[in-house]
């Protein structure tokens, strides 16, 4: 049979051949279309204009690649709708090589979006968040992910500006394998929001992140993670926080603030962080398999418990040294009919199978006061293993614990215990890569108590062959996940804290109630508060962080407001690593509740230096006899310099009290104390008490210098001391007057390897004690002969004047206004 021919353009064509060529053409068109689509779905952008154009055209499966380099002052608004199989991806060309700087931010909204590999570095933002899983209003992100990204030292110039690094909205989002280091300004590092139905029951996951250094903020608002708010705390979040590292997260007392319901915290490592995982609001939280390594750093904490139905199990704590609210385990007292933002009573909390090694004491009923009156209720503390070799007490009971069931809690300690609550046993420990483990010899750790909430697995997720007390099975051979996991980015950011030029900030403050407190909320590292003439009423204690100067005018007075529900413990606290200067201010402690102290050091056991400078100030009427004084240094605090010049201390119980170092290891509360041209008058006990127990050998300076000062009617009883030092190696008292303590025998009690008193006058004030090794020179026992007794101005015939004693001018160089 002949083939049928088709004629075209005068040339015959074979039909089969034509069809074959047609199919081939379609194939090449298909390939070209696919290549074109592939090119459209993988877009490289070099600047924000190209990015904005690309994001407008995204479809499911699109990948936008940010080319390496610096992206400064950009707003990366990512909005799109991917799918689980074909997400929208925005990523760095090379992870860690895309540097987002300046005043930049990112928003993510839509569905199935992945952001990866960026580095927000050393910025100076002005927005409320750096990365937000929300665009405008209710345009939230769902099923989206932030991964392999670093934010480091991305802080506003003004530290008082409140902002967050990551705001999580929407549902089913994940934040993983990121590095967050160096947040210094006001505001939580990462916040999970529950505002609106679109963000409730969100099922977010926060995992494998490294939360690095967060310096102490000095006030509330320095949390690393907060899940929820007080207002929404009874709503369910269902967020999982697992397998993260929190290293040196010292922002505030709450590292994690749980303020919602049904969350899980597990397999996290808290390393040398001065705070706690705090179940602040909300119910039904699970806290398990976390490791807290304090390494004996002061103020390191564990788990603080408030509200209902929490389970705390299989956690390991070693070397946690915080006290009170920062203790390893804390059960708080509650408030009757508590509003959402206060303290709900602890109820039905189950605490089982935790191990505590060489930690500070557990606290039950913490915070008990006139408001927090409700002790923990219907709770269980069972099968916990506690050991110490450091002499610490096991537990502290601040309120009634009769509604807590204590079952089979074993302690290995020489400290006293309540045998009704704990059982003493000697534990045989073995080391697993330097980690203490109970050996298989500890049959005394097999417990006969078990309930439906007792864990079937131990901290390393091994089956519990028996009901063993503590977090580990006997003879365990595995390391907890929290200590073996790798957290942070796949690339290693070279994070260096930037050196920022801090411009001095001046804030003018009007007299009134609470005005100084409001002004302190606006300070940065270098601030001057200018106080006008008038009375400044304080109703809350003032905690100062940074290099802050408070300068008054003529007749500037700071005093406590009357009729406070609770007496103020102090007016001003100088925080660690701070320097506070006070000038031209009168501090008046005369109010109906009697303020205990005018100024105090950082809290006890902080271990970091601070400085205090006082010039031309007056302190009066601090008469609280329950341990009160004008200045108090807490145990463990250390000032580099306390300097007082041209100032007046009068009509008070005690002056400067630095006497709480009752140890044997050579500590004291200040390297240098300088007192110059100042008056201490009518002080019931000591004007200066600068002492420590223990050996004379000291680490540091240990120096007290008093020059041209007056001590009048101070410690006026037989064994009183106007100036008392003990084990302070270097003391100099020069050109000063001690008078009118008629009953005193030895007004000055000093000692040390290099101490002297010279060119001083004592009038009706006893005599200088002849201590071994103390140099005494030119001590006068005569009347000072004042021309003006009120302002301590000597008459022409006074021996205080150089022309009358051939030594030096003694007493005030310039008169002070009394």
């Amino acid at each position: 049979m002949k083939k049928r021919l088709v004629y075209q353009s005068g040339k015959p064509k074979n039909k089969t051949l034509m069809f074959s060529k047609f199919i081939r053409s379609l194939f090449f068109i298909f390939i070209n279309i696919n290549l074109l689509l592939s090119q459209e779905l993988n877009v490289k952008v070099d600047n924000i204009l190209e990015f904005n154009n690309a994001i407008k055209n995204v479809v499911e499966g699109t990948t936008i690649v940010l080319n390496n380099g610096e992206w400064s002052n950009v707003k990366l608004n990512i909005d799109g709708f991917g799918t689980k199989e074909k997400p929208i991806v925005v990523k760095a060309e090379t992870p860690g090589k895309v540097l987002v700087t300046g005043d930049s931010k990112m928003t993510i909204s839509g569905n199935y979006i992945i952001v990866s590999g960026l580095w927000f570095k050393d910025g100076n933002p002005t927005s409320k968040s750096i990365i937000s899983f929300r665009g405008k209003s209710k345009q939230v992100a769902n099923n989206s992910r932030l991964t392999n990204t670093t934010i480091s030292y991305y802080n506003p110039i003004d530290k008082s500006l409140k902002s967050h690094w990551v705001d999580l909205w929407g549902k089913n989002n994940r934040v993983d394998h990121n590095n967050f280091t160096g947040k210094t300004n006001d505001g939580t590092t990462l916040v999970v929001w529950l505002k609106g139905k679109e963000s409730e029951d969100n099922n977010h996951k926060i995992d494998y992140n490294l939360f690095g250094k967060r310096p102490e903020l000095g006030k509330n608002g320095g949390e690393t993670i907060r899940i929820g708010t007080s207002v929404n705390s009874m709503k369910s979040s269902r967020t999982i926080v697992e397998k993260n590292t929190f290293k040196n997260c010292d922002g505030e007392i709450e590292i994690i603030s749980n303020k919602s319901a049904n969350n899980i915290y597990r397999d996290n490592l808290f390393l040398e962080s001065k705070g706690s995982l705090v179940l602040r609001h909300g119910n039904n939280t699970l806290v398990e398999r976390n490791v807290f390594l304090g390494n004996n750093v002061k103020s390191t904490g564990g788990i603080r418990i408030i509200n209902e139905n929490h389970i705390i199990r299989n956690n390991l704590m070693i070397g946690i040294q915080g006290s009170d609210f920062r203790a390893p385990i804390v059960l708080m007292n509650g408030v009757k009919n508590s509003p959402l933002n206060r303290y709900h009573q602890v109820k039905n909390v189950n605490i089982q199978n935790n191990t505590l090694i060489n930690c500070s004491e557990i606290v039950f009923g913490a915070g008990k006061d006139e408001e927090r009156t409700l002790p923990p209720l219907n709770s269980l503390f069972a099968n916990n293993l506690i050991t110490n070799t450091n002499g610490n007490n096991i537990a502290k009971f601040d309120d009634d614990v009769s509604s807590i069931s204590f079952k089979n809690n074993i302690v290995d300690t020489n400290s006293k215990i309540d045998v009704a609550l704990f059982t003493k046993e000697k534990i045989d420990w073995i080391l697993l890569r330097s980690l203490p483990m109970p050996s298989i010899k500890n049959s005394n750790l097999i417990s006969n108590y078990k309930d439906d909430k007792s864990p079937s697995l131990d901290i390393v997720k091994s089956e519990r062959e028996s009901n063993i007390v503590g977090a580990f099975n006997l003879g365990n051979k595995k390391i907890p996940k929290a200590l073996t996991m790798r957290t942070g980015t796949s690339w290693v950011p070279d994070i260096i804290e930037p050196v920022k030029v801090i411009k001095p900030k001046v804030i003018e403050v009007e007299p009134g109630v609470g005005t100084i407190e409001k002004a302190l909320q606006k300070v940065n590292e270098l601030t001057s508060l200018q106080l006008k003439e008038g009375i400044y009423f304080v109703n809350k204690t003032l905690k100062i962080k940074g290099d802050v100067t408070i300068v008054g005018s003529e007749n500037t007075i700071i005093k406590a407001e009357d009729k406070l529900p609770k007496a103020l413990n102090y007016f001003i606290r100088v925080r660690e690593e701070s320097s506070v200067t006070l000038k031209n201010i009168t501090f008046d402690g005369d109010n109906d509740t009697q303020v205990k102290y005018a100024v105090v050091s950082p809290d006890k056991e902080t271990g970091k230096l601070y400085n205090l400078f006082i010039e031309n100030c007056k302190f009066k009427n601090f008469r609280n006899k329950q341990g009160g004084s004008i200045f108090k240094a807490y145990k463990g605090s250390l000032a580099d310099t306390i300097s007082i010049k041209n100032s007046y201390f009068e009509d008070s119980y005690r002056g400067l009290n630095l006497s709480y170092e009752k140890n044997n290891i050579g500590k004291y509360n200040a390297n240098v104390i300088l007192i110059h041209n100042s008056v201490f008058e009518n002080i019931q006990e000591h004007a200066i008490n600068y002492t420590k127990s223990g050996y004379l050998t000291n680490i540091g300076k240990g120096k007290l210098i008093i020059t041209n000062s007056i001590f009048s009617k101070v410690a006026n009883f037989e064994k009183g001391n106007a100036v008392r030092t003990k084990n302070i190696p270097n003391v100099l008292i020069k050109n000063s007057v001690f008078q009118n303590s008629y009953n005193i025998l030895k007004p000055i009690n000093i000692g040390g390897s290099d101490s002297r008193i010279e060119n001083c006058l004592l009038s009706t004030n006893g005599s200088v004690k002849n201590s071994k090794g103390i140099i005494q020179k030119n001590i006068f026992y005569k009347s000072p002969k004042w021309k003006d007794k009120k302002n301590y101005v000597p008459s022409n015939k006074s021996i205080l004047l150089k022309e009358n004693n051939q030594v030096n001018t003694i007493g005030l160089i310039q008169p002070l206004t009394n």
Side-chain angles (χ1 to χ4, degrees):
M1 181 182 291
K2 295 183 178 179
K3 293 183 179 179
R4 185 177 179 182
L5 300 177
V6 177
Y7 294 89
Q8 184 177 359
S9 300
K11 295 181 180 181
K13 294 284 184 178
N14 186 297
K15 189 174 182 181
T16 303
L17 180 63
M18 289 178 64
F19 182 75
S20 176
K21 288 182 177 181
F22 175 70
I23 294 298
R24 186 185 301 175
S25 298
L26 286 178
F27 176 76
F28 282 116
I29 291 170
F30 177 77
I31 292 296
N32 288 332
I33 289 173
N34 275 345
L35 286 172
L36 182 62
L37 287 174
S38 177
Q39 289 171 357
E40 289 179 350
L41 292 177
N42 291 273
V43 184
K44 276 196 168 187
V45 295
D46 202 45
N47 55 56
I48 190 62
L49 293 177
E50 292 180 4
F51 173 83
N52 289 338
N53 184 58
I55 207 70
K56 289 178 184 177
N57 300 298
V58 293
V59 294
E60 59 184 51
T62 299
T63 295
I64 299 177
V65 178
L66 278 62
N67 286 340
N68 293 345
E70 183 171 353
W71 292 64
S72 185
N73 301 319
V74 295
K75 304 295 184 287
L76 298 167
N77 297 319
I78 305 169
D79 183 37
F81 290 86
T83 64
K84 185 176 182 180
E85 294 76 19
K86 295 181 179 181
I88 294 167
V89 178
V90 176
K91 67 178 184 177
E93 179 184 3
T94 305
K97 298 298 183 180
V98 172
L99 304 181
V100 185
T101 63
D103 186 8
S104 298
K105 66 173 294 184
M106 173 183 285
T107 64
I108 305 169
S109 57
N111 206 3
Y112 288 104
I113 296 170
I114 299 174
V115 177
S116 176
L118 310 184
W119 187 355
F120 289 77
K121 186 175 187 291
D122 303 346
N124 51 5
T126 59
S127 56
K128 292 183 178 179
S129 61
I130 308 306
I131 299 175
S132 178
F133 281 65
R134 183 176 75 162
K136 295 179 180 179
S137 187
K138 295 187 178 182
Q139 292 179 332
V140 300
N142 295 310
N143 305 299
S144 295
R145 182 181 181 193
L146 173 69
T147 187
N148 207 28
T149 291
T150 290
I151 307 179
S152 66
Y153 290 98
Y154 215 85
N155 301 305
I157 296 172
D158 184 355
K159 282 185 66 175
S160 66
L161 179 65
K162 186 174 183 178
S163 64
H164 312 128
W165 278 3
V166 178
D167 280 331
L168 260 177
W169 299 84
K171 296 186 179 183
N172 304 313
N173 296 312
R174 186 181 181 195
V175 177
D176 67 286
H177 294 91
N178 302 294
N179 187 321
F180 304 109
T181 296
K183 190 176 192 299
T184 60
N185 71 304
D186 195 350
T188 307
T189 305
L190 187 157
V191 181
V192 174
W193 294 95
L194 279 76
K195 185 178 180 181
K197 292 291 185 182
E198 64 275 9
S199 294
E200 296 175 19
D201 279 314
N202 50 66
N203 295 301
H204 295 318
K205 193 172 185 180
I206 302 167
D207 60 315
Y208 289 103
N209 301 288
L210 171 58
F211 293 92
K213 182 180 180 182
R214 170 115 205 227
E216 185 178 355
L217 182 64
K219 58 181 178 180
N220 188 36
E223 305 98 325
T224 296
I225 293 178
R226 191 186 78 234
I227 301 179
T229 59
S230 300
V231 173
N232 295 310
S233 58
M234 292 298 124
K235 294 180 179 179
S236 176
S237 182
R238 301 190 187 280
T239 294
I240 297 175
V241 180
E242 65 178 358
K243 302 180 181 71
N244 302 282
T245 298
F246 299 86
K247 183 179 180 182
N248 302 124
C249 294
D250 303 336
E252 62 147 270
I253 195 169
E254 299 182 19
I255 301 170
I256 296 178
S257 185
N258 182 87
K259 292 186 175 181
S260 53
N262 301 311
N263 298 313
I264 296 174
Y265 303 95
R266 64 189 176 205
D267 296 316
N268 300 289
L269 172 62
F270 297 82
L271 181 60
E272 297 182 10
S273 293
K274 295 181 179 179
S276 302
L277 193 172
V278 181
L279 310 184
R280 184 64 183 86
H281 300 302
N283 302 321
N284 308 314
T285 302
L286 173 62
V287 182
E288 66 175 354
R289 303 195 304 266
N290 302 284
V291 175
F292 298 79
L293 295 184
N295 288 339
N296 295 319
V297 173
K298 297 170 183 176
S299 300
T300 48
I303 303 167
R304 180 154 59 102
I305 302 162
I306 307 150
N307 283 68
E308 304 179 17
N309 301 320
H310 305 305
I311 298 175
I312 317 295
R313 67 189 184 195
N314 280 338
N315 298 285
L316 172 65
M317 301 179 182
I318 302 178
I320 298 299
Q321 293 303 317
S323 59
D324 297 321
F325 286 11
R326 280 187 169 96
I329 297 176
V330 183
L331 280 78
M332 290 283 294
N333 258 26
V335 175
K336 188 176 181 180
N337 299 319
S338 176
L340 286 173
N341 67 337
R342 293 304 293 150
Y343 291 85
H344 286 255
Q345 188 176 18
V346 172
K347 295 180 182 178
N348 305 318
V349 169
N350 190 291
I351 305 172
Q352 289 199 58
N353 291 95
N354 302 285
T355 295
L356 285 73
I357 300 173
N358 284 346
C359 295
S360 52
E361 57 192 4
I362 299 167
V363 182
F364 296 90
K368 178 184 179 181
D369 58 17
E370 294 178 357
E371 181 197 24
R372 290 177 291 226
T373 58
L374 304 178
L377 184 67
N378 297 333
S379 295
L380 175 72
F381 193 84
N383 295 332
N384 298 289
L385 176 59
I386 308 167
T387 185
N388 69 45
T389 58
N390 53 19
N392 285 345
N393 291 326
I394 294 299
K396 178 185 177 187
F397 303 96
D398 290 343
D399 207 342
D400 177 34
V401 292
S402 60
S403 191
I404 301 175
S405 296
F406 289 82
K407 303 287 186 181
N408 287 79
N409 297 291
I410 305 297
V411 297
D412 181 3
T413 181
N414 291 324
S415 300
K416 292 181 179 180
I417 65 167
D418 187 333
V419 294
L421 309 179
F422 301 98
T423 301
K424 269 193 180 185
E425 295 283 356
K426 191 65 179 175
I427 305 302
D428 182 65
W429 297 94
I430 56 175
L431 290 180
L432 177 62
R433 282 191 271 171
S434 76
L435 195 64
M437 296 285 169
S439 75
I440 59 174
K441 298 178 180 179
N442 293 290
S443 58
N444 50 0
L445 291 183
I446 299 175
S447 174
N448 58 9
Y449 178 81
K450 190 173 184 179
D451 63 20
D452 59 347
K453 293 180 181 178
S454 296
S456 59
L457 306 178
D458 73 351
I459 190 173
V460 297
K461 300 177 73 172
S462 295
E463 289 283 348
R464 288 183 175 269
E465 298 175 1
S466 302
N467 191 25
I468 302 299
V469 172
F472 294 95
N473 276 324
L474 299 183
N476 170 67
K477 303 291 186 181
K478 297 180 181 179
I479 299 293
K481 179 69 175 178
L483 294 173
T484 61
M485 63 192 179
R486 187 187 187 282
T487 56
T489 55
S490 64
W491 50 280
V492 181
D494 183 17
I495 298 175
I496 301 174
E497 184 174 356
V499 178
K500 292 187 177 181
V501 177
I502 303 169
K503 295 180 180 180
K505 185 175 183 178
V506 178
I507 302 173
E508 291 190 354
V509 188
E510 297 287 342
V513 178
T515 57
I516 298 178
E517 179 191 3
K518 291 178 182 177
L520 286 173
Q521 293 175 356
K522 301 176 182 178
V523 303
N524 61 16
E525 290 95 331
L526 183 59
T527 304
S528 176
L529 301 188
Q530 304 287 335
L531 275 54
K532 298 180 180 180
E533 181 175 350
I535 301 178
Y536 292 78
F537 291 100
V538 176
N539 53 21
K540 292 183 179 179
T541 56
L542 306 173
K543 300 173 183 178
I544 302 179
K545 179 73 173 178
D547 190 339
V548 177
T549 298
I550 305 179
V551 182
S553 305
E554 186 177 359
N555 296 320
T556 296
I557 300 171
I558 292 177
K559 65 181 303 181
E561 194 176 8
D562 281 330
K563 298 181 181 179
L564 293 176
K566 185 178 178 181
L568 293 180
N569 201 40
Y570 55 83
F571 283 135
I572 290 176
R573 161 160 278 156
V574 185
R575 303 301 295 261
E576 60 184 12
E577 297 183 298
S578 297
S579 182
V580 174
T581 300
L582 307 173
K583 289 185 178 180
N584 310 330
I585 302 170
T586 294
F587 292 85
D588 190 349
D590 188 20
N591 82 314
D592 57 354
T593 55
Q594 291 194 330
V595 180
K596 202 167 186 179
Y597 315 106
V599 183
V600 299
S601 74
D603 200 0
K604 57 185 177 180
E605 305 297 344
T606 56
K608 294 184 179 179
L609 294 175
Y610 69 97
N611 290 292
L612 174 63
F613 302 95
I614 297 172
E615 187 172 344
N616 197 32
C617 289
K618 181 183 288 187
F619 299 82
K620 63 180 183 179
N621 301 321
F622 289 87
R623 301 191 181 98
N624 190 312
K625 295 183 180 181
Q626 304 301 313
S629 58
I630 292 171
F631 171 81
K632 175 184 176 178
Y634 283 85
K635 180 181 178 182
S637 64
L638 179 60
D640 185 54
T641 302
I642 296 175
S643 174
I644 298 170
K645 296 180 179 179
N646 310 325
S647 294
Y648 211 108
F649 301 78
E650 68 174 1
D651 299 333
S652 296
Y653 179 54
R654 291 172 177 165
L656 313 182
N657 196 354
L658 301 93
S659 65
Y660 289 88
E661 292 300 336
K662 304 182 187 305
N663 54 63
N664 292 316
I665 56 176
K667 286 187 176 182
Y668 40 75
N669 292 122
N671 286 331
V672 179
I673 301 176
L674 305 173
I675 312 290
H676 177 69
N677 204 66
S678 295
V679 173
F680 294 82
E681 181 176 46
N682 196 25
I683 307 296
Q684 185 170 335
E685 291 198 354
H686 50 260
I688 301 166
N689 190 1
Y690 177 32
T691 67
K692 75 170 190 67
S693 299
Y695 307 108
L696 184 58
T697 302
N698 287 270
I699 303 169
K701 299 174 183 177
K703 180 183 292 186
L704 170 65
I705 299 176
I706 301 172
T707 54
N708 300 97
S709 294
I710 308 289
F711 298 81
S712 181
K713 200 176 181 182
V714 177
N716 188 20
F717 52 95
E718 183 177 329
K719 294 184 178 181
N721 301 126
V723 176
R724 180 173 183 264
T725 72
K726 182 179 179 182
N727 294 333
I728 306 300
N730 193 327
V731 180
L732 172 63
I733 302 175
K734 187 175 181 179
N735 301 331
S736 296
V737 174
F738 296 81
Q739 68 165 27
N740 294 342
S741 293
Y742 306 97
N743 299 311
I744 203 167
L745 293 179
K746 304 292 180 183
I748 304 164
N749 185 353
I750 62 176
S753 57
D754 186 16
S755 297
R756 61 193 293 130
I757 175 169
E758 60 181 270
N759 305 347
C760 289
L761 180 143
L762 284 76
S763 174
T764 57
N765 209 97
S767 60
V768 178
K769 183 178 180 180
N770 292 316
S771 300
K772 183 178 179 181
I774 306 303
I775 297 173
Q776 299 181 34
K777 186 177 181 181
N778 299 320
I779 308 300
F780 303 98
Y781 295 95
K782 293 188 177 183
S783 170
K785 295 183 180 179
W786 302 112
K787 175 183 177 181
D788 181 350
K789 292 183 179 181
K790 183 178 181 181
N791 293 306
Y792 298 103
V793 179
S795 69
N796 292 334
K797 296 181 179 180
S798 175
I799 197 171
L800 301 178
L801 302 179
K802 183 176 181 179
E803 55 267 27
N804 297 327
N805 63 32
Q806 304 303 313
V807 174
N808 210 333
T809 300
I810 300 173
L812 300 181
I813 293 176
Q814 60 189 43
L816 303 176
T817 302
N818 188 354

